[in-house]
Amino acid sequence: MSPADERPGDGGSGDAVVVPGEDGTGRVGGAGGFETRAIHAGQPPDPATGAVIPPISISTTFVQAAPGRPGRYEYARSANPTREALETCLAALEEGREAFAFSSGMAAEDALARALLRPGDRVLLGRDAYGGTLRLFSRVLAEAGITWSSVPLTDPAALAEHWPEDTRLVWVETPSNPRLEIVDVAAVAEVAHRRGAQVVVDNTFATPYLQQPLRLGADAVVHSATKYLGGHSDVVAGAVVTDDPGLGERLRFLQNATGAVPGPFDVYLLLRGIKTLAVRMERHCANAAAVADLLAGHPAVARVVHPGRPDHPGHAVAARQMRGFGGMVAAVLAGGEDAAVDLVARTRLFTLAESLGGVESLIEHPARMTHSGAADTDLAVDPGLVRLSVGLETLDDLLDDLRRALDGIGDGTSAVS
Ligand SMILES: *Cc1c(COP(=O)(O)O)cnc(C)c1O
């Protein structure tokens, strides 16, 4: 077979070849299995040069045939070919109609909230939420007249019973950050839709490889692409994916009108990272399960929180709506806050840092770090809790690092106290 025969998109070499975007379903890049879409959707070989990797398009402006007669592209905030490749790929991975890339996860959340909410509307958050999401609703959007409350989304029956009448939107994180709570997306969507509200799922922790919220009934998916999608802790970006054409139109307008778009180099890093998303997630899941087992067997640990464990209250729902249980693990230390702070200072391979989802393992103390802003709210985090983003290092090295750090807790040799 000549290299030309292998080209996705030329359609001439038999049924092994996938043609991104031309599967007849109306979904962009919807053809092929997940890994195939991750590698090819939106990224056919460059028609000008045959380059297998789409070029990074850096031009901010594009020639017009006559005044007011632009070609396909006009100005790079409005549309950029590299960004479009990413958006096509993300839509294909979430099995949505359209995706919109943003310069950060928070920019994506802000645009999505503006697209869905008006003054006087209420949004429901879970009992556990990313600190930045809580800050966006409580300190930014509250000033625009949008109210929020935190309710146990893990209990859809209670949600139906205690439904505030002004609710327009339910904002779901599953698994949630940092307590890894699991929300039954289909059940919550049914409750919300019956009452005329919409449902957003922050799919940052699961990624579309493990969970596809649009297929479970969500109206939109939001991502911090900074985490697993990028996967290498070297790019800040966000995205929204939806099936709803009206919402898509509002997002396209807001993306251009407010302008928080990612640059082409960042977009390239995301496209590159996403190609290995499936294999990375498989190993993140396997390593995290082994780390959870180690933690569960250690006397310094009071409780392990991981949706893959049968004692996790959301285990059955996670097993139903996810392909795997993810790479995040949390643990409550028997010695409380002092032990937690001691542990995160003792690990070596598990680097003490915020963020998650990269190839390297990280550990953090949410109550003092990512979630310090939630201290006096319903969403305050147990100060004895540590959160681990289990990376792709050699598993035995990860387990040795944790075992040694756990064994040393409280012996007075830690670097901080
Ligand atoms: C990091 C994160 C965000 C915010 O994304 P940024 O890219 O940091 O702006 C939103 N939701 C979750 C679950 C996150 O982990």
Side-chain angles (χ1 to χ4, degrees), residues 62-71 73-74:
F62 299 83
V63 66
Q64 305 203 5
R69 278 186 47 218
Y73 301 99
E74 181 174 0

Side-chain angles (χ1 to χ4, degrees), residues 103-109 129-133 171 173 175-177 202-205 222-227 235-238 355-356 387:
S103 54
S104 70
M106 291 319 304
E109 291 192 19
Y130 176 68
T133 303
W171 192 283
E173 248 183 74
S176 67
N177 182 1
D202 182 331
N203 207 25
T204 299
F205 274 36
V222 65
H223 276 283
S224 170
T226 312
K227 316 295 168 52
V235 56
V236 173
S355 200
L356 60 113
R387 187 190 77 183

